[in-house]
Amino acid sequence: MSRTRDARHVLLAALLSVLLVCGSLAGCADQSANDDTVYKGEKGAVVVSLGDSYSSGEGVEPFYGQNDDNKVNDQDWLAHRSTKSWPGKLRVSGGAVLLSDNKADSANPVSDQSSAAWYFLASSGAVTADIVEGEQVKEVGLDPLTKKHTLASGASVSYEERTIDRQLDGLESAAAANGGSVDYVTMTIGGNDVGFVDVVMSCITSNQLFDFRGVENRLDQAEEDFNSTVRADMRETYVQVSAAAGPDAHVIVAGYPTLLDTTEGHFLVFHQNESLMINNKVEWFNAQIELLVNEVNADNDGSRAQVVFASVADEFRGHEAYSDSPYINEVMLFAQAEDLRDTVASAYSIHPNELGTDAYARAVQRVIDQIEGGQAHGPTDQSVPSQPQTEPATTTPVEKDVALVLDVSGSMDGQPLEETKNAAGQFVDVALENGAECALVTYDNEARTLSGFSSDGATLRSEALGLDSAGRPNMR
């Protein structure tokens, strides 16, 4: 009996050794449809990060290439791609792959489909055209003799143009090297097209400080620009990016955070009304992004990637610039050492700091975790809960219908209306999270229904945050 038991133990040990060896060899991989799991699963995730300064990590040093002698010709440094950017903090493939550990060169895409690859192409200052149309042009301050970067002024500096490759080229190359499709694309885009940061900076660098009508006019112009041209440009960008990513990919479009603290005590820099106006317009813009994403998906015939909107609003609420615990840089007067050129205010201004890139990563990570099955893999030490699931309604429809009636008469002009818009947007979020449907009604000299009962959060927020004051209230 003992010999039989020993023989069985030897046989089991031998079989186990064979299985372990086979499991470690690529040649033992199953040559079947399961190959897709090997190439596109935990060993072969391919992620491409596109977009503007909110994706590149502008303002969070060090940047890739920052310490190179020839950094003025290094696209990573020119684009201010941070080693601490939020895309680099993401984990994919069940948490097995940290993107920053797998940074790859888009000029020489990884063709070994068993290897993970992260292509970091986002660039500070980028607009939609820099993703889909052509090269982005940067102007860099150089020492005339050494041709090295300098922020000196006068005769001791010359400005030369440098270019950054069209971002879509890198995405197409990555997809082509990996069977025609990547796993994920991340991006933020559109903020520079409408000029939100420019509006904030104008409050400091021009005579618009406390000029509420001037700020309001700039924001109205941003909305007009969006409706006239930027909306179509952003839609086309989403379509082209999702097509280039391939049908098996997910394109994650992240929104923008509210920028400025709206509590009392910071009015030597921004008045509360200015902050409210700017934040409300950012929230309105996020609602437009979400509506665009829904529209692009509705027109997808299956040949393009699915586009997903990732809101960052909750992560940044209460952590805006000038708050007690900011996730966004304040306006930084004068250029910083790594700014490309000498300016009145640094490009680092009004961009997420390192805590802000952590916050962005948490918000986008939740979306990735939901796509991959709900298991959370946090990008930082802070907990990242899985995406909350809405519980089935257990009450009657009457108990779940809420009509929000808002005064938009002339008496509400200015700060009262901005506070109303802000509160209405947050009310919509809370109501929908609790399973209610909302209707929006406004009144001045007459009542208007902006939206019937709906659970479409993007449309409701767009309507609530886009309110304007009108005539006298009709109190009869």
Side-chain angles (χ1 to χ4, degrees), residues 24 42-43 97 130 199 208 210 293 337 419 431 441 443:
S24 66
E42 61 184 10
K43 289 186 179 179
V97 176
D130 299 319
V199 174
Q208 288 190 12
F210 303 153
V293 165
E419 291 174 341
V441 178
Y443 68 91

Side-chain angles (χ1 to χ4, degrees), residues 69 71-72 77 139-160 335-343:
D69 287 339
K71 66 184 181 183
V72 295
W77 180 77
E139 196 173 57
V140 187
L142 301 177
D143 184 294
L145 298 178
T146 65
K147 294 298 181 181
K148 293 186 181 298
H149 174 242
T150 183
L151 293 177
S153 58
S156 59
V157 63
S158 64
Y159 288 99
E160 294 186 9
Q336 302 298 299
E338 295 301 317
D339 273 312
L340 269 60
R341 56 172 299 153
D342 192 17
T343 53

Side-chain angles (χ1 to χ4, degrees), residues 223 226-227 231 280-281 283-291 421 424-425 428-429 440 450-451 456-468:
E223 182 174 341
F226 175 82
N227 290 324
R231 186 185 191 282
N280 285 343
K281 194 62 73 175
E283 292 276 33
W284 172 87
F285 186 56
N286 284 329
Q288 306 311 308
I289 294 174
E290 189 173 359
L291 289 170
K421 289 157 64 174
V428 166
D429 288 339
L440 293 178
L450 297 183
S451 173
D456 183 348
T459 298
L460 290 166
R461 284 190 295 274
S462 175
E463 294 286 0
L465 292 161
L467 294 173
D468 289 315

Side-chain angles (χ1 to χ4, degrees), residues 144-336:
L145 298 178
T146 65
K147 294 298 181 181
K148 293 186 181 298
H149 174 242
T150 183
L151 293 177
S153 58
S156 59
V157 63
S158 64
Y159 288 99
E160 294 186 9
E161 290 185 349
R162 296 290 188 272
T163 57
I164 295 173
D165 296 338
R166 185 181 77 135
Q167 295 183 32
L168 196 64
D169 291 341
L171 172 57
E172 290 172 343
S173 296
N178 288 273
S181 187
V182 301
D183 291 276
Y184 296 101
V185 176
T186 68
M187 62 190 297
T188 53
I189 198 65
N192 290 323
D193 295 71
V194 295
F196 279 130
V197 173
D198 291 342
V199 174
V200 176
M201 298 303 294
S202 71
C203 295
I204 297 294
T205 60
S206 74
N207 60 0
Q208 288 190 12
L209 188 64
F210 303 153
D211 176 10
F212 306 141
R213 288 302 178 192
V215 174
E216 185 176 28
N217 291 339
R218 289 289 302 272
L219 291 170
D220 287 345
Q221 183 62 53
E223 182 174 341
E224 183 179 330
D225 291 344
F226 175 82
N227 290 324
S228 61
T229 60
V230 174
R231 186 185 191 282
D233 292 340
M234 291 176 65
R235 187 186 192 284
E236 181 62 20
T237 299
Y238 296 162
V239 169
Q240 291 198 40
V241 167
S242 60
D248 298 330
H250 287 86
V251 176
I252 301 174
V253 177
Y256 293 93
T258 48
L259 301 175
L260 300 171
D261 180 54
T262 58
T263 59
E264 297 181 4
H266 304 285
F267 299 158
L268 291 177
V269 185
F270 295 98
H271 190 276
Q272 187 177 26
N273 194 35
E274 290 178 321
S275 299
L276 280 167
M277 286 191 291
I278 291 168
N279 286 354
N280 285 343
K281 194 62 73 175
V282 171
E283 292 276 33
W284 172 87
F285 186 56
N286 284 329
Q288 306 311 308
I289 294 174
E290 189 173 359
L291 289 170
L292 271 175
V293 165
N294 295 340
E295 181 181 312
V296 169
N297 284 333
D299 291 341
N300 190 350
D301 60 3
S303 63
R304 296 186 278 107
Q306 186 78 3
V307 186
V308 183
F309 176 70
S311 173
V312 300
D314 288 344
E315 287 288 348
F316 280 85
R317 190 167 287 121
H319 299 285
E320 296 87 354
Y322 300 98
S323 67
D324 292 335
S325 56
Y327 289 177
I328 296 178
N329 290 330
E330 299 179 358
V331 173
M332 302 170 71
L333 294 178
F334 311 114
Q336 302 298 299

Side-chain angles (χ1 to χ4, degrees), residues 294-440:
N294 295 340
E295 181 181 312
V296 169
N297 284 333
D299 291 341
N300 190 350
D301 60 3
S303 63
R304 296 186 278 107
Q306 186 78 3
V307 186
V308 183
F309 176 70
S311 173
V312 300
D314 288 344
E315 287 288 348
F316 280 85
R317 190 167 287 121
H319 299 285
E320 296 87 354
Y322 300 98
S323 67
D324 292 335
S325 56
Y327 289 177
I328 296 178
N329 290 330
E330 299 179 358
V331 173
M332 302 170 71
L333 294 178
F334 311 114
Q336 302 298 299
E338 295 301 317
D339 273 312
L340 269 60
R341 56 172 299 153
D342 192 17
T343 53
V344 174
S346 171
Y348 295 15
S349 302
I350 312 300
H351 282 83
N353 56 28
E354 188 171 352
L355 291 174
T357 64
D358 287 346
Y360 250 106
R362 288 195 297 273
V364 177
Q365 187 70 54
R366 281 194 289 271
V367 174
I368 292 174
D369 290 343
Q370 186 179 38
I371 292 170
E372 296 189 348
Q375 187 176 4
H377 304 285
T380 71
D381 291 335
Q382 299 185 49
S383 174
V384 182
S386 58
Q387 192 80 352
Q389 301 297 313
T390 302
E391 295 293 330
T394 57
T395 55
T396 65
V398 173
E399 293 174 307
K400 291 290 185 178
D401 292 344
V402 181
L404 189 58
V405 183
L406 305 170
D407 181 359
V408 294
S409 64
S411 63
M412 294 291 289
D413 194 26
Q415 186 167 330
L417 182 62
E418 295 302 325
E419 291 174 341
T420 297
K421 289 157 64 174
N422 181 269
Q426 293 189 46
F427 178 88
V428 166
D429 288 339
V430 171
L432 297 183
E433 286 172 4
N434 285 276
E437 289 195 348
C438 285
L440 293 178

Side-chain angles (χ1 to χ4, degrees), residues 101-148:
D101 288 343
N102 294 274
K103 188 173 181 294
D105 182 3
S106 61
N108 298 288
V110 176
S111 58
D112 177 7
Q113 293 183 331
S114 66
S115 299
W118 173 49
Y119 300 95
F120 191 17
L121 307 176
S123 178
S124 180
V127 295
T128 51
D130 299 319
I131 292 180
V132 299
E133 292 184 11
E135 296 176 330
Q136 180 184 2
V137 178
K138 294 277 193 177
E139 196 173 57
V140 187
L142 301 177
D143 184 294
L145 298 178
T146 65
K147 294 298 181 181
K148 293 186 181 298

